[in-house]
Amino acid sequence: MTHEPVGGAAGDDPRTGGAVEGRRLTTREAAELLGVKPETVYAYVSRGQLTSRRAPGGRGSTLDAAEVEALARRTGRREPSPAPAGELVFRTGITLIEPDRYFFRGVDATELARAHGFEEVAEWIWTGALRPGVRFTADPESLAAARRTAAALPRHSSSTDRLRAAVAAAAASDPLRFDLSPEGVLSSARSLIPTLVGALPDAGEPGGYAAGVRDGGGPGATAGTSSGATGGGPDRAAAAGPGDPLARQLWPKLSARSADAGALTVLDTALALLADHDLAPSTLAARIAASTHAHPYAVVSAGLGVLEGPLHGAASGPAHRMLAEVVERGGAAPVVADHLRAGRRVPGLGHRLYSGEDPRASLLFAQLEEVPRAADALAAARDVVATTARHTPLHANVDLALAVLSVSCGMAGEAGETVFAVSRTAGWIAHAMEEYAERPLRMRPSGRYGGPRPPQPMPKPAPARDAGQAPGTPDAN
């Protein structure tokens, strides 16, 4: 990996403004022309404002001089003033969210996900370039270390536990993890994502999703039984190879049932749709980590820590359990009533950023219509929406759509969280690349102290307790 693209074509001085069409500039020359740091040039490339091309011989990258000069004219040849200390200002060219749709680098995200697989969408988010048929490949040494580490966890560990362990192991195996150049970060990302998937055990294996979870085939259907099968033998998903699309590699980690083309399409689309959603809480955590120049693996670890919160990435679990109960009981009314009686919100409904139905859910529901095994769970989801609409016009969100997929395909309740984590890794990397080009350590808000006013007397040591006394137990005397 190279830290500084080199090897621009010879020609006039780029600062004279007389560049000839087709002339190439090095990153350093482009930075001088724009009046910015080389890291900012990398950010312009990641945002799609500039395009780079591998230099002859494959060493470094160059940029089109005319394109750089056009950007210099638009920006006035100077980087915007940094935000005041403590103020969080995020200039991002990745995702724009509007009341009823959202965009990846200016392209409708749902249209992009409908036409392209997850890896292609991730490349678009990272580089602003579309690479049809691109596949991510895990580094064998990192994958082996990640598998060993994830397998050493207790059997009851969640998939997110295993993903966090896998990231740490993969980081320790990568001596180039501190290379924060765009080329270095992208190389790490293209290896890390399939490493995370490969580190998860197959469904039904020790440490994997337990076989026997209910699916859309009706009460009592199991993850190892085909819908409508008469033989009762396991319908194991065929092993995926490293050259397969990431969705194909992920499927056997989520379900012991074989995947038909329609179900795989839904999973691949879900991965593409969830790749980024602007500054969600986990993405903010990732950007804070990147602002310290933490390496990409540490950035992903920060995102995973926040994602596990029940109000963020884990929100699809309650939707799964609710939907499975609706399928089993044959209607949404009693299940919704039980949630309200217990003072719980009905999961899978509403999103503060969209005035209508979550556009991610709309596309997934449309694709699930083409999956016969999803019919019962899809009808149950619509029943939930219709039942709650009698009082509150809440619309389905992506968690409910993920629940339809997981319930109908014999997946466990945390499958949606796994899909979310693997997919959002791409977005965290994209935001890290932007943040690496910003002023380091810019996110330093000030706390508002509300404790006792100083000076306070020195505290007295607490009385010694008997060795067998439980914490918080009052002394007998």
Side-chain angles (χ1 to χ4, degrees), residues 19-37:
V20 179
E21 182 179 359
R23 184 169 166 275
R24 311 295 297 178
L25 301 178
T26 66
T27 299
R28 191 166 299 282
E29 290 171 337
E32 292 177 359
L33 177 61
L34 292 165
V36 299
K37 297 179 180 179

Side-chain angles (χ1 to χ4, degrees), residues 43 47 49 79-84 86-97 276-292 299 427-428 430-445:
R47 297 169 188 165
Q49 294 172 276
E79 177 75 352
S81 300
E87 182 180 344
L88 296 183
V89 175
F90 297 93
R91 292 164 291 188
T92 177
I94 302 170
T95 302
L96 170 66
I97 299 178
D276 190 60
H277 209 229
D278 197 34
L279 289 173
S282 59
T283 303
L284 176 59
R287 289 198 75 133
I288 291 173
S291 76
T292 72
V299 168
W428 296 332
H431 281 271
M433 293 176 68
E434 285 193 336
E435 194 60 39
Y436 289 147
E438 296 286 352
R439 177 170 54 86
L441 297 172
R442 66 191 180 118
M443 301 178 212
R444 182 60 175 89

Side-chain angles (χ1 to χ4, degrees), residues 159 163 197 200-205 208-214 223-224 236-237 246-259 263-264 266-268 270-271 320 402 405-407 409-422:
S159 64
L163 292 175
V197 174
L200 295 173
D202 284 353
E205 291 184 352
Y209 293 123
V213 294
R214 300 189 187 279
R236 295 289 302 171
L246 196 83
R248 180 70 187 82
Q249 297 179 47
L250 180 58
W251 182 274
K253 313 296 183 179
L254 304 177
S255 175
R257 294 179 55 178
S258 294
L264 267 179
V266 175
L267 178 59
D268 198 13
L271 288 167
H320 171 100
L402 288 175
L405 175 66
S406 59
V407 169
C409 294
M411 301 175 184
E414 66 179 60
E417 181 179 350
T418 304
V419 173
F420 208 115
V422 170

